[in-house]
Amino acid sequence: MSDKKCPLDFDYHGPELDDIFDTYRELRATCPVGYSEKHGGFWFLTKNDDIFAAEQDHTTFSVAPSMLLPNFGTDVPLIPIDIDPPAHSKYRRILLPLFTPAAIDALTPRVVDVAQELAKGIDVDSVVDASAAYARPLPTIIFSALAGFPEEDWPRFDRWVDEIIYERTVSPDIASAAADEVFAYFDDLLTRRRSEEPRDDIIGHLLSAEVDGRPLTNDELLSYCYLLFLAGLDTTAWAIRSGLWYLARNAEAQKQLRDDLDAVPAAVEEFLRTLSPVQAMARTATRDVEIKGQRIKAGERVVLAFGSGNRDEEQYERADEIILDRQQNRHFAFGVGIHRCLGSNLGRREVLVALQEFLRLLPPFTLADPEQPWHGVGPLNLKFSRKDG
């Protein structure tokens, strides 16, 4: 066993997120590298420099067996995030052309159209769950169309996402059952798509892709589809919802952005830094390594607490404050290095458009339920000022 000091019951899931930023501050000051017994036991890194170094050192910190702790309802490695070099780049490059800045620029008018349609459908004379009416459907519509998921299937997606991502820490059997349903769904969809004319969408690219001169196996296709489904729908919805949550609680910030919509891009980066939907990712040590005096042994799990690194006082001035026009703002919301989120350009653009159009088309809003948490994709009940003031 390693020399496990600073033993803490640290977690970064569920209700623990309510006070996670206070926890991060304490850990950075008193236990920057520590050990938790949660989820089978893991070391955690809370300082920006340690997290960045680990992200760059894939030979010491492997993504196998999974970057997710606990996993997303399956023990199957998810392509490409659970694949180490050199194979990683072979899988990652398959879909890169669909997520370049130029490709996202071309997609942006559709994102704007969807955001406007959803915003105009909101009844400002009622309390509205902006998560269900806006934050969740926007990425579902955009990403599902980009991926080639049939529109008639979209109503099922929210339940699967909730059961796989949010139930896995408390009811792993529910998460596993939902994962089985999703794999079966994609197995059927891939079978149908093979018999149809090729289409220029994500599934079409995967079906025509090759690795080492061979087509992707069905298991590889299923793994890729499963990951893209979860990552494409949940994290963006979370980021939109958390941005609206903050603005609903801060009238001055909301007015500042309403008065200058060109200031929204910088605000989005600040929301991503401080209220990131990805609070942590896991690695496995491939060799014994010492970090800040703590000895981590080969085979032990290591969690990179991105959410803490994003608020490190040594990296950011007034780190815990949300400063809408912050300029120096390199953060871990999408990861860094070779495992940086494949869809970061799309996710960032969706959040930007979503907040701009919400502010542009709808009157000022506040929280109808101040107890609703900042995190996740659960309800966000908003009440609006009357248009006549």
Side-chain angles (χ1 to χ4, degrees):
M1 296 291 288
S2 296
D3 298 330
K4 298 183 175 70
K5 299 178 181 178
C6 293
L8 294 170
D9 194 24
F10 171 64
D11 200 359
Y12 53 100
H13 295 291
E16 299 297 329
L17 288 167
D18 292 350
D19 304 310
I20 197 74
F21 306 128
D22 293 335
T23 302
Y24 287 154
R25 192 182 310 111
E26 180 182 353
L27 293 179
R28 288 192 302 270
T30 63
C31 185
V33 180
Y35 188 83
S36 172
E37 299 288 349
K38 290 284 189 178
H39 311 302
F42 61 87
W43 288 93
F44 53 85
L45 312 183
T46 65
K47 294 290 290 179
N48 189 286
D49 58 346
D50 293 328
I51 295 167
F52 185 82
E55 277 277 79
Q56 303 299 315
D57 186 3
H58 57 80
T59 60
T60 300
F61 298 98
S62 168
V63 294
S66 177
M67 284 175 67
L68 307 166
L69 184 68
N71 61 42
F72 272 177
T74 173
D75 293 326
V76 177
L78 299 179
I79 296 173
I81 67 167
D82 292 339
I83 307 297
D84 284 312
H88 170 264
S89 62
K90 301 176 184 179
Y91 290 104
R92 183 180 172 87
R93 72 169 64 105
I94 292 171
L95 294 183
L96 278 177
L98 293 179
F99 294 103
T100 62
I104 302 310
D105 286 344
L107 182 64
T108 298
R110 174 59 177 152
V111 182
V112 172
D113 287 344
V114 171
Q116 291 179 348
E117 182 179 355
L118 292 171
K120 291 174 181 177
I122 289 177
D123 180 4
V124 297
D125 293 321
S126 303
V127 172
V128 174
D129 179 356
S131 183
Y134 192 77
R136 298 195 74 166
L138 190 150
T140 296
I141 293 168
I142 296 300
F143 190 82
S144 295
L146 180 64
F149 304 157
E151 185 173 353
E152 62 270 20
D153 295 337
W154 298 351
R156 291 190 275 177
F157 292 171
D158 282 353
R159 176 179 67 82
W160 282 338
V161 168
D162 289 346
E163 291 182 352
I164 291 170
I165 295 179
Y166 297 104
E167 291 289 339
R168 75 189 202 275
T169 58
V170 292
S171 303
D173 290 344
I174 292 177
S176 180
D180 289 344
E181 291 182 38
V182 174
F183 274 107
Y185 168 80
F186 282 116
D187 197 26
D188 178 68
L189 180 58
L190 289 166
T191 298
R192 285 189 280 127
R193 286 292 301 270
R194 289 188 183 98
S195 66
E196 300 171 357
E197 289 294 318
R199 300 209 299 267
D200 186 21
D201 53 28
I202 288 176
I203 290 180
H205 276 250
L206 291 174
L207 286 170
S208 64
E210 292 188 346
V211 172
D212 295 331
R214 61 164 179 83
L216 294 176
T217 67
N218 197 59
D219 285 345
E220 289 170 332
L221 288 166
L222 288 173
S223 174
Y224 222 139
C225 287
Y226 184 85
L227 172 64
L228 289 168
F229 169 79
L230 295 173
L233 303 189
D234 175 72
T235 53
T236 305
W238 174 317
I240 295 169
R241 181 193 175 281
S242 64
L244 293 175
W245 175 89
Y246 176 80
L247 293 174
R249 291 165 54 92
N250 294 271
E252 183 177 342
Q254 187 180 150
K255 184 178 186 305
Q256 180 180 339
L257 296 185
R258 285 180 179 279
D259 291 344
D260 182 11
L261 291 178
D262 289 338
V264 175
V268 167
E269 295 305 313
E270 186 71 337
F271 294 151
L272 289 171
R273 179 184 74 85
T274 56
L275 304 171
S276 175
V278 180
Q279 286 294 303
M281 284 287 190
R283 300 292 190 271
T284 302
T286 61
R287 62 179 180 86
D288 292 0
V289 61
E290 184 172 306
I291 304 176
K292 286 186 168 53
Q294 299 285 38
R295 187 162 56 93
I296 301 171
K297 286 197 170 183
E300 293 188 310
R301 297 287 267 159
V302 182
V303 161
L304 313 181
F306 292 154
S308 177
N310 280 343
R311 288 168 173 256
D312 190 336
E313 302 83 354
E314 294 184 7
Q315 182 68 29
Y316 306 96
E317 185 178 355
R318 296 153 58 193
D320 271 329
E321 291 185 41
I322 294 182
I323 301 172
L324 296 182
D325 60 353
R326 188 184 294 271
Q327 296 303 305
Q328 300 300 318
N329 205 3
R330 187 184 71 176
H331 54 69
F332 294 121
F334 298 108
V336 294
I338 64 170
H339 290 290
R340 178 179 172 80
C341 173
L342 180 65
S344 60
N345 292 322
L346 174 60
R348 178 178 272 115
R349 188 66 53 87
E350 287 178 309
V351 178
L352 168 60
V353 170
L355 295 184
Q356 281 183 325
E357 295 304 311
F358 202 90
L359 292 167
R360 189 173 70 83
L361 295 173
L362 296 169
F365 52 91
T366 57
L367 287 179
D369 180 2
E371 298 303 314
Q372 288 179 332
W374 72 269
H375 54 86
V377 293
L380 182 68
N381 295 322
L382 302 181
K383 55 184 178 182
F384 297 86
S385 301
R386 296 188 61 85
K387 293 181 181 178
D388 58 9

